[in-house]
Amino acid sequence: MRYVIIGSGNISNTYVQAISEIGGEVTGIVSRSGRSPSCQPGLPNWPSLGAVDQPYDAVCVTTPNGMHHQGIIDAARLGKHALTEKPLDISIEAMDASISACRQAGVTLAVTFQRRTAPDNRVIKQLLDQGVFGRVFAVDLAAKFYRPQSYYDSDTYRGGLAIDGGGPFMQQACHNLDIYTWFFGKPDHVVSMLDTFTHDIEAEDHGAALMRHESGLIGTVVASTATRPGFAARMEVHTGKGSFTLTDDVISHWSIEGVENPTDTGFVYQHDGATSAVVTDTLGHQKILLDFEHAIETGATPIAGAESARLTTELILMIYQGAPGN
């Protein structure tokens, strides 16, 4: 397929490389700044999607979080399919507008929540859907990452509310919270504590939330960019048949009665997000792109379709609204 990438920040390099790896073509870049990805500086560049004068099939939206809906809606109006970088967007209104525009245009909308493609995450999802674990009563998620102040200083929107949409809950831990909602759905009640400890930013840089689901499940999550030097993400799951732990999307502990550990020992993903925002391993993006193309060709729902991905932003907004004073 032929793609136009909307946005020329660092993550656009990941998409250019991933599209190339799957045999696709990048027609060019839409960038208001006129920049092109550093990995392919000679790509054609246009100031808006409407100005693109070469054929293409779909867009990849790589603009900052709160601008995703703009690229999605522009693509839908032109009858083009859209794959957006996570999250879908940072507000209910923006997500609804994006989903509605794509539905009306009859085009596919998906989100790059590439951790859903990790083999161990996929098999856990299947086992949960099959009810293999019995009752899941506790889930504890820790996404204790680190970013230096220079990361936030690299652009004016970083760590802000209007465009980034928040701190580590909306940005760095969004992938981990997506796996939580993909596995267990959205909770009914959330209480949280958030603060800014080590950075000069508008949003939080550390926080914790306590969640209660209709099933009775009690979940906890800690998200941070203040916990130096940065730690691997962990999800501990406790069920009626035992417990298991995922560390950076790989099963690191398994004690489930009557069920053999299903981990894929050959899977190695090089980017954990603990200390850097730079994605050099494009395998997950390649899988998302291939799934996106399959959905377009067959009419299937993408592995990270818009309706499912919407729940992740909804949970993050619940966490923000559940803090004192909100």
Side-chain angles (χ1 to χ4, degrees):
M1 281 180 52
R2 298 163 299 183
Y3 292 88
V4 166
I5 298 176
I6 303 176
S8 56
N10 178 67
I11 193 65
S12 66
N13 290 290
T14 302
Y15 283 86
V16 170
Q17 293 165 11
I19 290 167
S20 174
E21 289 290 336
I22 66 168
E25 176 187 340
V26 179
T27 297
I29 301 290
V30 169
S31 173
R32 291 177 300 173
S33 68
R35 292 186 303 176
S36 290
S38 58
C39 69
Q40 200 168 338
L43 282 172
N45 196 303
W46 299 277
S48 69
L49 197 61
V52 176
D53 57 4
Q54 296 185 30
Y56 67 101
D57 307 297
V59 303
C60 293
V61 181
T62 67
T63 51
N65 296 343
M67 300 170 67
H68 290 174
H69 66 283
Q70 298 172 8
I72 294 167
I73 293 170
D74 286 348
R77 287 172 176 165
L78 293 169
K80 305 299 183 181
H81 307 283
L83 172 65
T84 183
E85 177 61 18
K86 60 79 184 170
L88 177 55
D89 212 286
I90 63 174
S91 73
I92 300 296
E93 296 77 15
M95 292 191 296
D96 285 347
S98 299
I99 292 170
S100 176
C102 290
R103 183 181 295 122
Q104 291 176 19
V107 297
T108 298
L109 173 59
V111 180
T112 305
F113 277 128
Q114 71 269 20
R115 292 183 181 274
R116 295 193 188 192
T117 70
D120 286 8
N121 284 339
R122 297 194 72 164
V123 74
I124 293 297
K125 172 65 173 170
Q126 293 171 357
L127 294 173
L128 285 165
D129 290 347
Q130 294 165 5
V132 168
F133 300 111
R135 186 180 188 186
V136 179
F137 61 85
V139 178
D140 301 303
L141 173 62
K144 295 182 177 181
F145 303 149
Y146 177 70
R147 296 291 185 272
Q149 182 64 38
S150 59
Y151 164 81
Y152 291 107
D153 292 342
S154 66
D155 214 316
T156 56
Y157 71 87
R158 292 196 186 279
L161 300 179
I163 298 178
D164 237 4
F169 283 94
M170 185 64 81
Q171 184 64 15
Q172 289 77 18
C174 185
H175 282 293
N176 312 97
L177 288 164
D178 177 67
I179 295 301
Y180 184 97
T181 60
W182 193 45
F183 283 175
F184 310 110
K186 189 178 69 173
D188 296 302
H189 303 288
V190 176
V191 293
S192 57
M193 292 285 179
L194 313 172
D195 211 331
T196 311
F197 292 100
T198 67
H199 297 99
D200 181 18
I201 57 174
E202 179 185 18
E204 86 286 352
D205 66 4
H206 185 88
L210 178 64
M211 304 169 286
R212 185 70 181 244
H213 293 247
E214 182 180 4
S215 67
L217 186 160
I218 296 174
T220 66
V221 57
V222 175
S224 185
T225 52
T227 46
R228 188 181 299 192
F231 301 87
R234 286 174 60 87
M235 178 184 287
E236 299 176 356
V237 181
H238 304 283
T239 83
K241 292 189 176 180
S243 304
F244 65 87
T245 299
L246 287 159
T247 302
D248 282 339
D249 308 309
V250 174
I251 296 170
S252 55
H253 170 78
W254 185 267
S255 56
I256 300 295
E257 181 183 353
V259 183
E260 186 176 346
N261 187 341
T263 190
D264 183 341
T265 57
F267 174 73
V268 179
Y269 182 52
Q270 298 299 325
H271 180 69
D272 61 8
T275 59
S276 174
V278 178
V279 180
T280 56
D281 183 349
T282 67
L283 180 60
H285 286 74
Q286 292 174 43
K287 290 181 178 180
I288 284 288
L289 283 160
L290 289 170
D291 176 80
F292 177 59
E293 294 187 0
H294 175 76
I296 292 169
E297 293 167 1
T298 65
T301 300
I303 190 172
E307 294 287 354
S308 174
R310 186 184 193 276
L311 295 179
T312 301
T313 295
E314 288 188 48
L315 171 57
I316 294 164
L317 293 175
M318 290 176 72
I319 290 170
Y320 287 151
Q321 291 160 4
N326 292 334

